[in-house]
Amino acid sequence: MIFPALFFYLFAGVCVACAVMVIASRNPVHSVLFLILAFVNASGLFILMGAEFLAMLLIVVYVGAVAVLFLFVIMMLDVDFAQLREGFIQYLPVGLLVGAIFLAELLLVAGGWVMNPNAGKAITAAIPTNVSNTEALGLVLYTTYIHYFQLAGLVLLVAMIGAIVLTLRHRGYVKRQDINVQNARTKTMAMDVRKVPVGQGLQDSDSGNWIK
């Protein structure tokens, strides 16, 4: 039992340290790299608990997609952080007030937290032993907690629609498709057939120049 305990403290310590560095790092690229390392160590904790499916999801989805996407976006945007820090002093009192309220709430939650000794007996459904971890997770997620799962999907959908609405900008100079106009085009509208005499060019109606 000494090796699982050692790996637990190793993964947990590195994960907490990386989480602190995500906030404390001045370079956003370094913050994303620390975030990826935190996800990797969290997946190691899931493996120690026997939840290999969640560990795989954490690596494939968060590390392989979300965190790498953050990294690419930060590296391509070329954000002027000096300009962003210009109003830091102006909003510092509001930030300190919000941080103090948040810290007080955390202290109240941590100080009033008590582990119920009967929490282990609150499990009413039997834990399946003849199925894999993925199947057991699916049975619980899509049966007992199906309403919470659908509610979480609805919240994510609303957040996605809100992000699109906030960032969408209609630009007048951008060409856009009009399906009705495209379907109504005929041969006479699409091309102009002209008979050009031999040895002569065709005069452009816009510029007045001769095209040969």
Side-chain angles (χ1 to χ4, degrees):
M1 296 297 293
I2 187 66
F3 289 104
L6 289 177
F7 279 109
F8 170 78
Y9 287 115
L10 175 63
F11 290 144
V14 176
C15 186
V16 172
C18 291
V20 173
M21 290 304 299
V22 169
I23 304 174
S25 181
R26 294 181 177 271
N27 193 330
V29 177
H30 295 166
S31 297
V32 176
L33 294 178
F34 281 118
L35 182 63
I36 294 175
L37 187 57
F39 284 152
V40 172
N41 286 274
S43 65
L45 293 175
F46 278 126
I47 291 177
L48 290 178
M49 292 188 297
E52 66 277 357
F53 180 71
L54 294 179
M56 182 189 68
L57 284 182
L58 198 62
I59 293 294
V60 174
V61 177
Y62 285 92
V63 176
V66 178
V68 175
L69 179 63
F70 287 168
L71 184 61
F72 285 166
V73 169
I74 290 174
M75 294 178 67
M76 289 188 299
L77 283 181
D78 192 17
V79 180
D80 189 3
F81 293 98
Q83 184 179 0
L84 292 177
R85 295 191 186 98
E86 289 180 356
F88 177 76
I89 304 298
Q90 180 181 357
Y91 298 104
L92 183 60
V94 179
L96 292 177
L97 178 61
V98 174
I101 295 174
F102 186 66
L103 180 60
E105 292 177 352
L106 287 178
L107 293 177
L108 289 175
V109 171
W113 180 77
V114 178
M115 180 65 181
N116 188 1
N118 297 323
K121 301 178 183 179
I123 302 176
T124 57
I127 300 176
T129 57
N130 56 346
V131 296
S132 62
N133 179 260
T134 306
E135 186 176 354
L137 184 63
L139 288 175
V140 174
L141 187 61
Y142 295 107
T143 54
T144 307
Y145 300 100
I146 181 63
H147 298 95
Y148 299 101
F149 180 76
Q150 295 292 337
L151 184 62
L154 182 62
V155 171
L156 292 176
L157 177 63
V158 171
M160 182 179 66
I161 295 175
I164 294 174
V165 170
L166 290 175
T167 56
L168 184 61
R169 297 290 184 273
H170 292 285
R171 293 169 289 183
Y173 60 88
V174 177
K175 274 191 170 183
R176 300 185 182 276
Q177 282 186 319
D178 192 341
I179 304 300
N180 296 325
V181 175
Q182 291 179 347
N183 292 332
R185 287 175 65 88
T186 59
K187 291 183 179 180
T188 56
M189 296 172 59
M191 55 183 165
D192 187 11
V193 180
R194 298 187 185 182
K195 293 184 179 181
V196 182
V198 179
Q200 297 182 11
L202 181 65
Q203 187 175 10
D204 190 0
S205 59
D206 296 331
S207 62
N209 299 325
W210 288 89
I211 304 175
K212 294 186 177 181

